[in-house]
C-alpha cells in the first residue's frame, strides 16, 4: 500500500506545481502573442494602430464579430505617461476603450457614454514612482489611469450600429490616439 502512495503523492505534487507554473506563465505568453500579432499589423509602441474590418476570412478568434471594428495601442509607460484620446461619439452608436496589462488583466474600461459623447483624453501612467498623475500639467485630462505593468494593450472597439457605414465608423475610429508624453 505504501508503495502506491509515494507515486500518487509525487504525481499530485507535480500536478499542483505544474498548474501553478501554468497560471504564472500562460497570461504573459498570451499577451506576448497578442503584441506580436499587433506588430505584424504594423502597430508600434505608444502609437495607435487599426485592424482591418472583420470578414468571412478572419479567423484569429473562434467567432469574430463583423459588427465591431478594432483599433489598438501597445503601451509602454516605463519612460513616462501615455495619452489616450477617445474620439467624440454623441449618437446612439457605441465605442469603448479597454486597458489590459502584460498579464492580460483588464484594469480599466471607458465608453463614449462615460464622457457624455464628448471626446476624452485619458492619462495612462505606470508603476514607476516618478511618473504619477500628480504633475500639475496632467490636470487637464478627463481620467487618469494607473497601469499595473509598464507594458500592455489598449483596445478600442467601435460597434457598427444605427445604420453607420463601415467607412464612417472607420473614419471615426482613426481619430483614436495614443502617444507618449
Amino acid at each position: 500500500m505504501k508503495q502506491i502512495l509515494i507515486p500518487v503523492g509525487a504525481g499530485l505534487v507535480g500536478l499542483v506545481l505544474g498548474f501553478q507554473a501554468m497560471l504564472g506563465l500562460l497570461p504573459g505568453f498570451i499577451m506576448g502573442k497578442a503584441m506580436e500579432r499587433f506588430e505584424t499589423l504594423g502597430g508600434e509602441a505608444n502609437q495607435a494602430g487599426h485592424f482591418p474590418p472583420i470578414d468571412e476570412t478572419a479567423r484569429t478568434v473562434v467567432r469574430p464579430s463583423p459588427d465591431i471594428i478594432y483599433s489598438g495601442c501597445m503601451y509602454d509607460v516605463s519612460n513616462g505617461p501615455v495619452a489616450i484620446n477617445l474620439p467624440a461619439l454623441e449618437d446612439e452608436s457605441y465605442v469603448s476603450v479597454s486597458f489590459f496589462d502584460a498579464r492580460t488583466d483588464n484594469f480599466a474600461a471607458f465608453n463614449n457614454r462615460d464622457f457624455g459623447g464628448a471626446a476624452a483624453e485619458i492619462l495612462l501612467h505606470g508603476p514607476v514612482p516618478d511618473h504619477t498623475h500628480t504633475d500639475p500639467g496632467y490636470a487637464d485630462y478627463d481620467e487618469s489611469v494607473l497601469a499595473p505593468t509598464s507594458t500592455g494593450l489598449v483596445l478600442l472597439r467601435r460597434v457598427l450600429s444605427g445604420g453607420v457605414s463601415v467607412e464612417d465608423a472607420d473614419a471615426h475610429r482613426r481619430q483614436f490616439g495614443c502617444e507618449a508624453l
Side-chain angles (χ1 to χ4, degrees):
M1 180 72 164
K2 289 182 182 179
Q3 292 175 343
I4 276 192
L5 291 178
I6 292 173
V8 168
L12 288 174
V13 168
L15 205 72
V16 168
L17 291 175
F19 181 71
Q20 291 300 317
M22 181 189 69
L23 288 179
L25 299 174
L26 192 59
F29 175 78
I30 292 170
M31 184 56 78
K33 289 295 182 185
M35 289 179 158
E36 284 176 19
R37 174 80 173 133
F38 189 78
E39 286 174 335
T40 63
L41 294 171
E44 295 182 33
N46 300 330
Q47 291 185 4
H50 309 286
F51 304 107
I54 301 296
D55 62 15
E56 66 280 354
T57 64
R59 292 290 175 234
T60 56
V61 295
V62 177
R63 289 188 148 202
S65 174
D67 298 333
I68 301 174
I69 56 176
Y70 299 91
S71 294
C73 170
M74 291 187 309
Y75 72 80
D76 184 350
V77 293
S78 58
N79 292 320
V82 173
I84 306 296
N85 298 304
L86 184 63
L89 187 63
E90 297 178 8
D91 59 12
E92 293 181 18
S93 295
Y94 183 80
V95 63
S96 69
V97 62
S98 300
F99 297 78
F100 299 91
D101 69 12
R103 296 186 41 79
T104 70
D105 293 327
N106 176 234
F107 61 91
F110 301 97
N111 64 59
N112 56 307
R113 295 171 187 149
D114 291 331
F115 303 106
E121 290 187 314
I122 302 165
L123 180 68
L124 178 63
H125 54 94
V128 180
D130 293 341
H131 305 297
T132 62
H133 64 285
T134 57
D135 185 317
Y138 299 152
D140 295 334
Y141 288 86
D142 298 297
E143 289 287 338
S144 180
V145 176
L146 175 65
T149 59
S150 295
T151 60
L153 290 174
V154 178
L155 184 64
L156 178 121
R157 296 175 184 95
R158 173 63 160 92
V159 177
L160 303 173
S161 61
V164 67
S165 69
V166 174
E167 293 78 19
D168 288 344
D170 183 53
H172 171 261
R173 70 155 172 170
R174 288 185 184 276
Q175 297 172 40
F176 168 69
C178 171
E179 67 178 308
L181 299 178

